[in-house]
Every structure is written in C-alpha cells, then in structure tokens.
Amino acid sequence: MSVWPAWEVREDGEPTSWYTVRLAFPDEACVEVLAVVSARSVSVEDVRARPALSLDDLTALAEWIEEPLFERCGSGRESPSADGPDGRPVAAGASGARRARPVWPRGTEGRRLVAEEYRAAQAQGGDPVLAVMWATGHSRRRSLRMIAQARDAGFLTPRHARR
C-alpha cells in the first residue's frame, strides 16, 4: 500500500490535505482512493478500482486505508522511508531507490485499461498521455507506444482519419 500527498489548502488557518492511497493486490487488482483529511474529519472523495468493488468491499475500504492514512498524516508526522524526494512511493532496487511501478496487465487487458485511462483523462479535460504515464508508471515514449497498441487493437479511435 502506498500513501502520498496530492495537495493541501489552508482555510481559516486550518490545513485540509488530500492524499492518494493506492492498494495493489497479488491478483493484479488495484484500488486508488483520494482521501481528504482535515482537523475535523477524514473522508473519501474518489475511488477507482480494477475490478470494480462490491458493496461489501466498498464498506470495508475505510478499514483497509484507515491505519496507513493515520500513520501518514494523523499524528502529523511523515512516514520515514515510503517516499522519494517528489513525494511518490519508491522501491529499493539493486541500483538504489527508484519509483515503484504499479502492476499493469499485459496483452488485451492492458490495452483496454490504457484506453480507459486515456478516455477518462480526456473526459475530465486532462492530458491523456500523462494519465497513462501515471497509471502505468512508464515513460512518455512507452506510454505513447501503449496508446498506439490500444488504437491498433480497436479500443481507441484512430488518431487521423484516412482519406
């Protein structure tokens, strides 16, 4: 599980912070939560899950994220080794610390998920390539290649209409 700050605002001297919480499971399922932490409450603002959560799982979600979220921000201290200098989670590798790359399925399922990320970012007015980069953990070049593969597989419309 990874927890890292998304952004913070101050209103009347009290901070309100948004945290991204990512749970990755061994069966390649993942849940991403945008949690809002203020002096008065902790709430969930957005949830993305692959595959979709059942109502029972959604009810249990608070229990899954409660302890790591409070460890990260509840006592006002940062977790010591979970993040790199940019606030993103890191994993130790043979050559030192590096960003942890989320587990991403290969083949048709991966192309379908790339297309979903791409279309969701477009619908929200965001940069779809950056959304794919963030979701997959790959470079811009690799993400563009994955988007092209999703287009070739028919999950996205062709980039240019042929005449």
Side-chain angles (χ1 to χ4, degrees):
M1 178 177 318
S2 306
V3 178
W4 63 92
W7 64 87
E8 182 176 304
V9 296
R10 290 194 176 269
E11 185 175 337
D12 298 327
E14 290 186 22
T16 300
S17 303
W18 282 259
Y19 287 86
T20 302
V21 180
R22 182 176 176 90
L23 296 99
F25 298 94
D27 62 352
E28 297 186 1
C30 75
V31 178
E32 291 180 5
V33 177
L34 184 61
V36 183
V37 180
S38 69
R40 287 166 264 154
S41 66
V42 175
S43 59
V44 173
E45 188 162 306
D46 187 33
V47 177
R48 285 188 176 193
R50 286 189 211 105
L53 295 176
S54 68
L55 289 176
D56 292 334
D57 290 341
L58 195 54
T59 304
L61 180 63
E63 293 173 18
W64 296 345
I65 67 170
E66 181 179 39
E67 185 177 330
L69 196 55
F70 282 132
E71 283 177 12
R72 176 64 189 218
C73 61
S75 64
R77 62 179 169 80
E78 301 290 316
S79 62
S81 61
D83 295 331
D86 62 352
R88 292 290 180 130
V90 295
S95 61
R98 61 178 167 78
R99 279 191 188 184
R101 180 171 290 154
V103 176
W104 197 259
R106 296 178 182 262
T108 303
E109 179 65 14
R111 289 184 199 87
R112 186 183 63 74
L113 293 174
V114 163
E116 285 179 12
E117 290 290 337
Y118 187 94
R119 285 192 302 269
Q122 274 186 326
Q124 294 174 354
D127 184 336
V129 177
L130 286 178
V132 171
M133 288 171 59
W134 187 86
T136 62
H138 288 292
S139 68
R140 183 172 186 83
R141 174 177 266 170
R142 177 70 180 123
S143 295
L144 286 168
R145 196 174 306 138
M146 293 171 80
I147 292 167
Q149 290 170 348
R151 285 187 199 288
D152 292 345
F155 293 113
L156 292 170
T157 58
R159 182 154 170 83
H160 302 288
R162 297 198 172 127
R163 293 178 188 209

mmCIF file of all heavy atoms in Angstrom, residues 5 21 40 80 84-85 97 134 140 147:
data_model
loop_
_atom_site.group_PDB
_atom_site.id
_atom_site.type_symbol
_atom_site.label_atom_id
_atom_site.label_comp_id
_atom_site.label_asym_id
_atom_site.label_seq_id
_atom_site.Cartn_x
_atom_site.Cartn_y
_atom_site.Cartn_z
ATOM 1 N N PRO A 5 0.969 12.523 -0.499
ATOM 2 C CA PRO A 5 0.140 13.728 -0.549
ATOM 3 C C PRO A 5 -0.172 14.138 -1.984
ATOM 4 O O PRO A 5 0.675 14.036 -2.861
ATOM 5 C CB PRO A 5 0.998 14.790 0.145
ATOM 6 C CG PRO A 5 2.377 14.268 0.107
ATOM 7 C CD PRO A 5 2.305 12.786 0.001
ATOM 8 N N VAL A 21 -4.160 7.224 -2.007
ATOM 9 C CA VAL A 21 -3.865 5.937 -1.392
ATOM 10 C C VAL A 21 -4.026 4.883 -2.477
ATOM 11 O O VAL A 21 -5.049 4.840 -3.157
ATOM 12 C CB VAL A 21 -4.835 5.633 -0.223
ATOM 13 C CG1 VAL A 21 -4.512 4.292 0.408
ATOM 14 C CG2 VAL A 21 -4.806 6.747 0.804
ATOM 15 N N ARG A 40 -11.118 18.153 11.389
ATOM 16 C CA ARG A 40 -12.374 17.626 11.892
ATOM 17 C C ARG A 40 -12.734 16.241 11.394
ATOM 18 O O ARG A 40 -13.480 15.529 12.037
ATOM 19 C CB ARG A 40 -13.512 18.579 11.540
ATOM 20 C CG ARG A 40 -13.493 19.839 12.374
ATOM 21 C CD ARG A 40 -14.392 20.880 11.810
ATOM 22 N NE ARG A 40 -13.496 21.724 11.010
ATOM 23 C CZ ARG A 40 -13.832 22.450 9.983
ATOM 24 N NH1 ARG A 40 -15.046 22.474 9.582
ATOM 25 N NH2 ARG A 40 -12.952 23.167 9.347
ATOM 26 N N PRO A 80 8.737 7.502 7.343
ATOM 27 C CA PRO A 80 10.124 7.784 7.070
ATOM 28 C C PRO A 80 10.664 7.354 5.722
ATOM 29 O O PRO A 80 11.369 8.103 5.084
ATOM 30 C CB PRO A 80 10.851 7.039 8.190
ATOM 31 C CG PRO A 80 9.905 6.011 8.678
ATOM 32 C CD PRO A 80 8.543 6.546 8.400
ATOM 33 N N GLY A 84 9.951 9.183 -2.104
ATOM 34 C CA GLY A 84 11.149 9.804 -2.635
ATOM 35 C C GLY A 84 11.058 11.305 -2.504
ATOM 36 O O GLY A 84 10.122 11.840 -1.905
ATOM 37 N N PRO A 85 12.007 12.041 -3.081
ATOM 38 C CA PRO A 85 12.025 13.486 -2.949
ATOM 39 C C PRO A 85 10.816 14.182 -3.565
ATOM 40 O O PRO A 85 10.461 15.272 -3.168
ATOM 41 C CB PRO A 85 13.317 13.893 -3.654
ATOM 42 C CG PRO A 85 13.757 12.716 -4.434
ATOM 43 C CD PRO A 85 13.120 11.516 -3.834
ATOM 44 N N ALA A 97 17.339 3.617 -4.828
ATOM 45 C CA ALA A 97 15.897 3.848 -4.790
ATOM 46 C C ALA A 97 15.387 4.273 -6.153
ATOM 47 O O ALA A 97 16.051 4.966 -6.904
ATOM 48 C CB ALA A 97 15.577 4.929 -3.765
ATOM 49 N N TRP A 134 1.035 8.053 -15.632
ATOM 50 C CA TRP A 134 0.876 7.938 -14.191
ATOM 51 C C TRP A 134 0.313 6.580 -13.813
ATOM 52 O O TRP A 134 0.758 5.948 -12.862
ATOM 53 C CB TRP A 134 -0.012 9.059 -13.674
ATOM 54 C CG TRP A 134 -0.054 9.082 -12.183
ATOM 55 C CD1 TRP A 134 0.833 9.703 -11.360
ATOM 56 C CD2 TRP A 134 -1.020 8.450 -11.345
ATOM 57 N NE1 TRP A 134 0.468 9.497 -10.052
ATOM 58 C CE2 TRP A 134 -0.661 8.728 -10.009
ATOM 59 C CE3 TRP A 134 -2.142 7.686 -11.581
ATOM 60 C CZ2 TRP A 134 -1.391 8.264 -8.935
ATOM 61 C CZ3 TRP A 134 -2.872 7.221 -10.497
ATOM 62 C CH2 TRP A 134 -2.490 7.517 -9.206
ATOM 63 N N ARG A 140 7.081 8.472 -21.068
ATOM 64 C CA ARG A 140 6.211 9.032 -22.105
ATOM 65 C C ARG A 140 6.279 8.200 -23.386
ATOM 66 O O ARG A 140 5.263 7.863 -23.977
ATOM 67 C CB ARG A 140 6.586 10.486 -22.383
ATOM 68 C CG ARG A 140 5.672 11.155 -23.397
ATOM 69 C CD ARG A 140 5.972 12.646 -23.497
ATOM 70 N NE ARG A 140 5.018 13.304 -24.342
ATOM 71 C CZ ARG A 140 3.810 13.721 -23.958
ATOM 72 N NH1 ARG A 140 3.430 13.546 -22.715
ATOM 73 N NH2 ARG A 140 2.994 14.316 -24.791
ATOM 74 N N ILE A 147 -0.481 3.408 -25.981
ATOM 75 C CA ILE A 147 -1.679 4.048 -26.535
ATOM 76 C C ILE A 147 -1.857 3.632 -27.998
ATOM 77 O O ILE A 147 -2.969 3.317 -28.439
ATOM 78 C CB ILE A 147 -1.597 5.580 -26.377
ATOM 79 C CG1 ILE A 147 -1.693 5.957 -24.900
ATOM 80 C CG2 ILE A 147 -2.680 6.277 -27.195
ATOM 81 C CD1 ILE A 147 -1.307 7.396 -24.593
#
